[in-house]
Amino acid sequence: MKSITLLPNTHRNCNVIMIVFPFDEEIKQHIKLLPEVKWSRTLSSFYIISSKGNLHLLFTHFRRKKWLVDYQKLRKEVTRPLKERYKLVLPQLSEELNSELIRFKKWLQQKRLSENTVNTYTEVTAFFLRYKILKKVEPYSVKLIEQFNYDFIYKANRSVSYQNQCINGVKKFLLFKNLEINPLSIERPKKEKQLPAVLSIDEIKAIFNNLTNLKHKTLLSLLYSGGLRIGEALNLRVEDIDSKRMLIHVKQAKGKKDRYTLLSVSFLKLLREYYLAYKPKIYLFEGQNKKQYSNASAQAVLKKALKKTKITKRVTLHTLRHSFATHLLENGTDIRYIQELLGHNSPKTTMIYTHVTNTSLNNIKNPFDEL
């Protein structure tokens, strides 16, 4: 019997219910039938606003398939008080605007944008159209967009990343409508420049030593040894491992680009052991019914391993990629090679690792030591 776990969480200052399950295409498509359910890249999970009505909706929806629903942690959760924040109640879309939104989504899909980007742009555009109804204005104007930017994003204290997504989505919608609004003075705000968290070699070892499951250990070892994004690792197929040239072929990664990255000799031994034990058919990492392994499952693996270590840093799957790049730089690898291995368009992106490496900093003599 297929099983689904409901977990409590908070997202964008709202209490939500996360819908977690081992990757299964049937479950995924069935969940998508509910318009109230959204996908979050931040949570790496489907979610719905937490309420008794929505919980009943989920149970009714999954009961039709006779699937097992585990909601024990949801029952034990004590709702955390949320900060008081500005609330903007938006009216629902008319049937005409809803149809236009569907056409806009199809237009985005024809542009071959990623599924996540299409869903995000469609969602933020829906908010913009609902805001337009609230303001009872007919033509699209700079003033309307600026008001939406202020009321819906700034006053609600939404993140810079979300603000950029909203601006991008609205601009795409105006392009879809073939509308030129000049001057469109809303620019994408600059993100805060934060240095990535990096694990030491000993911390990496501690994580791997606390992984007893062979598949889990192989997956996380791949992320570190190849400097891969989690999506790239999960999309790898068996034939993408080139043991003769000791390379991993990463196909159609971010920016729809192919690249090669390193295949570690030590990792290859672990990979062969894993292959003999699990015998994957298509994808290198497969879940139930030989389907592609899920992002949520990979996140859970890391979280479980971290609990057994004494690491206090905020660590994500992407931290393994950051650590790979930093350790290469500390070992004297030319930053241009690191750029190629990571698949960065610009060396400026790779240069961030020069700020977190210990090699250069350790060569600086602290004046306090002269006192």
Side-chain angles (χ1 to χ4, degrees):
M1 181 183 292
K2 296 180 180 181
S3 63
I4 295 154
T5 303
L6 303 181
L7 299 174
N9 209 328
T10 56
H11 184 53
R12 293 176 181 168
N13 278 346
C14 290
N15 290 319
V16 300
I17 301 171
M18 286 173 55
I19 307 165
V20 179
F21 57 94
F23 182 81
D24 185 290
E25 189 63 32
E26 184 184 6
I27 295 178
K28 179 181 175 182
Q29 295 305 324
H30 192 60
I31 288 175
K32 284 186 172 182
L33 295 175
L34 293 174
E36 296 85 357
V37 173
K38 306 294 182 185
W39 170 261
S40 166
R41 280 185 289 184
T42 305
L43 300 177
S44 296
S45 172
F46 287 101
Y47 73 94
I48 192 170
I49 299 300
S50 182
S51 70
K52 288 184 178 179
N54 283 341
L55 182 58
H56 177 72
L57 178 69
L58 291 178
F59 274 115
T60 304
H61 193 61
F62 294 136
R63 195 177 292 127
R64 292 174 188 154
K65 293 286 188 177
K66 298 181 179 179
W67 292 335
L68 178 66
V69 180
D70 180 2
Y71 66 104
Q72 291 302 314
K73 291 186 179 179
L74 203 62
R75 294 173 65 181
K76 295 177 183 177
E77 171 74 2
V78 177
T79 303
R80 289 176 287 178
L82 296 173
K83 294 180 180 178
E84 286 291 325
R85 71 180 184 112
Y86 172 78
K87 293 181 180 179
L88 184 66
V89 180
L90 299 175
Q92 293 301 311
L93 289 175
S94 65
E95 189 174 330
E96 181 182 352
L97 283 176
N98 202 42
S99 297
E100 185 167 50
L101 193 65
I102 293 172
R103 291 194 298 272
F104 173 56
K105 184 174 183 177
K106 290 180 179 178
W107 181 80
L108 290 173
Q109 290 169 335
Q110 290 170 6
K111 298 290 182 183
R112 296 300 180 95
L113 300 178
S114 71
E115 183 181 357
N116 284 338
T117 302
V118 169
N119 291 336
T120 300
Y121 285 0
T122 305
E123 180 186 74
V124 298
T125 301
F127 285 130
F128 173 65
L129 293 176
R130 291 167 64 187
Y131 181 82
K132 182 174 180 289
I133 297 173
L134 178 71
K135 291 299 178 181
K136 298 178 181 179
V137 293
E138 193 53 41
Y140 296 96
S141 64
V142 173
K143 184 179 179 181
L144 174 65
I145 299 170
E146 288 175 340
Q147 284 180 329
F148 172 72
N149 184 49
Y150 182 77
D151 288 342
F152 182 74
I153 302 171
Y154 177 75
K155 288 183 73 174
N157 198 28
R158 301 182 191 274
S159 69
V160 170
S161 295
Y162 188 73
Q163 184 173 0
N164 281 329
Q165 290 172 341
C166 285
I167 293 170
N168 291 340
V170 170
K171 285 187 174 181
K172 284 290 184 185
F173 180 71
L174 295 177
L175 186 62
F176 161 72
K177 294 280 291 181
N178 200 25
L179 293 174
E180 291 187 10
I181 299 180
N182 293 317
L184 188 54
S185 58
I186 298 178
E187 298 180 356
R188 297 175 183 84
K190 292 183 179 179
K191 292 183 180 180
E192 297 175 354
K193 292 185 178 180
Q194 297 180 338
L195 295 178
V198 174
L199 296 166
S200 68
I201 294 292
D202 289 337
E203 288 171 329
I204 294 285
K205 287 179 181 177
I207 292 174
F208 292 160
N209 289 338
N210 281 287
L211 290 167
T212 55
N213 182 287
L214 181 58
K215 179 190 284 188
H216 298 166
K217 188 172 185 176
T218 307
L219 175 57
L220 295 196
S221 297
L222 172 63
L223 294 177
Y224 172 69
S225 67
L228 298 180
R229 302 176 179 95
I230 181 59
E232 294 169 348
L234 297 181
N235 286 330
L236 281 179
R237 295 173 181 258
V238 176
E239 64 268 20
D240 295 332
I241 304 298
D242 189 344
S243 57
K244 291 183 179 179
R245 299 172 62 204
M246 295 304 292
L247 295 172
I248 300 171
H249 192 182
V250 185
K251 298 176 181 175
Q252 294 299 287
K254 189 174 182 180
K256 300 187 184 298
K257 296 185 301 181
D258 285 14
R259 75 175 190 279
Y260 283 98
T261 189
L262 305 176
L263 176 59
S264 158
V265 175
S266 299
F267 172 70
L268 182 58
K269 294 177 182 177
L270 178 65
L271 183 61
R272 282 173 172 161
E273 185 183 348
Y274 158 76
Y275 183 83
L276 291 174
Y278 287 89
K279 295 181 174 59
K281 299 297 182 184
I282 301 174
Y283 292 103
L284 192 60
F285 295 97
E286 296 173 338
Q288 293 182 351
N289 302 320
K290 296 296 179 180
K291 298 288 186 179
Q292 189 178 15
Y293 203 67
S294 72
N295 192 320
S297 297
Q299 298 280 1
V301 167
L302 178 62
K303 187 175 181 180
K304 187 175 179 180
L306 286 170
K307 281 184 178 180
K308 298 178 181 178
T309 69
K310 295 181 180 180
I311 299 172
T312 57
K313 298 174 184 176
R314 186 180 180 275
V315 178
T316 66
L317 292 171
H318 212 68
T319 305
L320 297 175
R321 174 176 157 91
H322 290 319
S323 302
F324 165 81
T326 304
H327 296 162
L328 281 179
L329 195 61
E330 289 177 344
N331 289 335
T333 307
D334 191 298
I335 199 163
R336 290 171 295 180
Y337 293 134
I338 299 174
Q339 179 189 343
E340 290 296 323
L341 292 173
L342 296 179
H344 288 161
N345 279 330
S346 169
K348 291 181 180 179
T349 309
T350 319
M351 286 296 289
I352 191 171
Y353 297 109
T354 62
H355 298 289
V356 293
T357 176
N358 286 331
T359 307
S360 300
L361 295 178
N362 288 339
N363 292 329
I364 302 173
K365 194 167 184 179
N366 196 310
F368 189 83
D369 295 332
E370 300 292 323
L371 300 179

